[in-house]
Amino acid sequence: MCGISGIISNANIAKKLLDSIQNLEYRGYDSCGMAILNSHGPIIRKNIGHVADVAEKELFLSMNGNTGIAHTRWATHGGVTPVNAHPHANCDGSIAVVHNGIISNYVKLREMLTKKRHTFLSETDSEVIPHLIEEYRKGGMPLESAFVAALKDIEGSYAVAMVAYEKPWKIFCGKHESPLIIGLGKNENYIGSDFNAFIEFTKEAVVMDDGEYAIVSNEGYAVKKIVNGAPVLKKVMHVEWDAEMSKKGGFPHYMLKEIYEQPETVKKALSISDASIQMLAQNVVSAERTYLTGVGTTFYAAQLGQYYFASEAGINVPAVSSDEFLENSAMAKGDFVLAVSQSGETYDTLRVLREAKNRKIRTAAIVNVIGSTMARLVDDVVMQGSGPEICVISTKAALAQVIILIRTALEAGVITGKLRVSEKKQKIKQLEALPQQISDFLNEHSGFVHNLAERQAHHHNWLFLGRGKYYPIALEAALKVKEVAYLHAEGMPAGFLKHGTIALIDDNLRSLVFIPSEKEEALYKMTMSAVEEINARGGKVIGIHSSKTFAKSKLLADQLLLPPAPPLVMPLMALVASQLFSYFLATTLDRNVDKPRALAKSVTVA
Ligand code: AGP
């Protein structure tokens, strides 16, 4: 995925345009560029590297003009090179285009355009767009019609923005399956892949739908249908997020800031109306089958949800990773699909939901980003209200999703009769105590976590093990370590170890084991078997646990002691601890914490 933005104003836009792609950088950051119109046409400057570096190298701030577009890239077609960076131009340089998405028929289009003597400079799919527009213009079509004709020619997904020499007071943009939003300011307007593009400038926005294009000037905007040019009346949204929420606020990294925001995000998730949660629970219970889905971290959140539905409601609600869903699950009418997504734009998860819609299956989603494709696609949406999550690594959003799933499982438990109302209330109280417990843990224990990470960061190979609810926690903790610290960490059920992987145990492999409290006797004993087995083979165990007596055990080579908490919320404390552990591993190893290599905040491609 990439980030696109555009600004049109009666003042010079260079600084604001730079700010806008800087605020979108988490969407992709291998290269970037800006095109600003001056009296000769669009001036394009672009290069590889992070936005701040490219801005300095290419002197973005010395650019001058009132209309411009910008792009920050996460490469799909064509390597990370200056020519592959966006914006792309047509042959005579009068048109500049930025694109987010994938054009599946670009090879055919490029061949056709090459035969018509268009010269391509890059290896990207996106470059066909300015040339297509140019081709239609040569045939005598007005610019707007040429832009729309080009959009009709391209297959796949796109959010596209164009500026052109002949219409210096307009930005043309259109979308299909990639997000695009218009921001409304005073004497200036904006476009962006998401609100962060213009959150510093306005809170009024219009969310574009698939199959729409818009012409934006500094005084207004017009949205029309790509298929027939019919005008579309759009609702103006007021965005609650403010610019401050998107800033680091004294923390060295967004990741740390967002970990520390978790007491607040848990409170927000707990303040979601009972009616919304009951609606989800009713759908889960009354469906023939319910599937939970998400991918990466959100799959692990969904998987944790599966365990809570089993323990609290006594029902089997399988979690299926959305990238494999359609190939391994036979959803049919009468089923219910509940998706989980921070961005609401993830291709794999959207693919499942779109197919569910085709099959007339009821859908719902727990989503963080307001106005996102998923939020608008599903039958019912629960907005998790976690605020902007800027770090590419998901932390606070994932915890909030789990809280919402637990609340839904508790509600489902009341419906199925597994829980009495009084039991549900007691468990909700335990959730309500969590923000304070997380706060205390972060304030009192982060030093210990830091020290542990510093002691252990030189180990390159890890097993992360847990049983029961600690299994998805182990998977998520391992993913965090891979993503942000670039260490090899394999998450696995602790019981699975003895079925093969145990052959790897030696003095060099570190095993991080999530050990439940002795109160969960069966789970505790089973987890301890794995701890014993590792020790018996000369392996080293790092324990994350909450038992003061166990803290003295010789079975642990190192450990992280958590404050005590009831079994319902203990896995969540372990989750927070593991987030902090991965953060400190990453800082110890001097990694790029907020923008780890090769990642993007939401993956909008197949
Ligand atoms: C999280 O740290 C990851 N970067 C990634 O696994 C992410 O959770 C996944 O791509 C799903 O994204 P979504 O929540 O925006 O749908």
Side-chain angles (χ1 to χ4, degrees), residues 242-265 386-391 395-396 442 580 583 593-594:
D242 66 30
E244 258 336 284
M245 290 163 101
S246 303
K247 298 217 167 99
K248 276 192 212 146
F251 286 91
H253 298 103
Y254 282 112
M255 183 175 178
L256 191 62
K257 174 185 179 244
E258 287 159 6
I259 289 173
Y260 271 77
E261 279 172 354
Q262 293 186 109
E264 241 356 88
T265 23
S386 310
E389 190 181 62
I390 305 294
C391 176
T395 52
K396 65 173 184 174
L442 291 172
L580 206 55
Y583 171 77
V593 172
D594 286 331

Side-chain angles (χ1 to χ4, degrees), residues 295-298 341-344 346 392-394 479-480 483 602-603:
V295 69
T297 289
T298 47
S341 175
Q342 189 287 130
S343 63
T346 301
V392 168
I393 307 298
S394 185
L479 179 64
K480 291 280 94 87
E483 285 186 300
S602 87
V603 183

Side-chain angles (χ1 to χ4, degrees), residues 8 10 198 203 281 322 343 390 489 496 500 504 554 556 559 606:
I8 183 157
N10 56 6
F198 45 75
K203 288 187 182 177
S322 61
S343 63
I390 305 294
F496 202 86
L504 288 177
K554 291 204 169 64
L556 300 183
Q559 58 186 303

Side-chain angles (χ1 to χ4, degrees), residues 49 66 83 92 119 203 261 282 341 376 415 504 540 561:
N66 305 86
V83 276
D92 72 11
T119 309
K203 288 187 182 177
E261 279 172 354
Q282 197 55 60
S341 175
R376 288 173 299 126
I415 302 173
L504 288 177
K540 297 275 187 295
L561 190 64

Side-chain angles (χ1 to χ4, degrees), residues 52 123 172 210 339 344 355 550 581:
E123 304 152 316
F172 295 78
D210 282 351
E355 183 53 29
F550 188 58
F581 182 56

